[in-house]
Amino acid sequence: QVQLVESGGGLVQAGGSLRLSCVASGRTFSRYAMGWFRQAPGKAREFVAAISWNGGGTYYADSVKGRFTVSRDNAKNTVYLQMNSLNPEDTAVYYCAADLVFSRVQIGAVGSWGQGTQVTVSS
């Protein structure tokens, strides 16, 4: 397993941008597929984006396609989520996730979760 810590959340106006970061504590980061999930108050957790171990494959929820970009820097043990054209429906706690099996990241059945970072988008 790997320990994950998210950062970069905050308050932004509709149409604005934020970049989230997730730093892994272990030295085996490059072996892990990574993902981002979010959960709004009173709602279920939902998939946002995922990236394969080598960065060659990226996958997005329909709600964020064309607006969000997931990337990784294995030398820095870090995965990023660039969020553009934000709207109030994007308001949620965003969680970083990791697993050695990519399919588990896609469905949220992962071995490691971060603590979450709050993203709030004002109208």
Side-chain angles (χ1 to χ4, degrees), residues 21-87:
S21 298
C22 174
V23 179
S25 62
R27 298 180 65 184
T28 59
F29 175 75
S30 63
R31 298 177 60 193
Y32 284 81
M34 305 293 297
W36 289 94
F37 292 76
R38 66 187 183 186
Q39 187 168 26
K43 296 182 173 60
R45 182 186 64 196
E46 65 175 351
F47 171 78
V48 176
I51 186 167
S52 60
W53 67 271
N54 63 355
T58 56
Y59 303 87
Y60 300 93
D62 288 342
S63 59
V64 306
K65 285 181 180 177
R67 300 189 298 121
F68 291 11
T69 302
V70 63
S71 61
R72 66 191 297 162
D73 185 341
N74 288 347
K76 296 182 178 180
N77 283 8
T78 302
V79 63
Y80 304 96
L81 184 67
Q82 178 67 47
M83 305 185 294
N84 299 325
S85 301
L86 286 162
N87 59 63

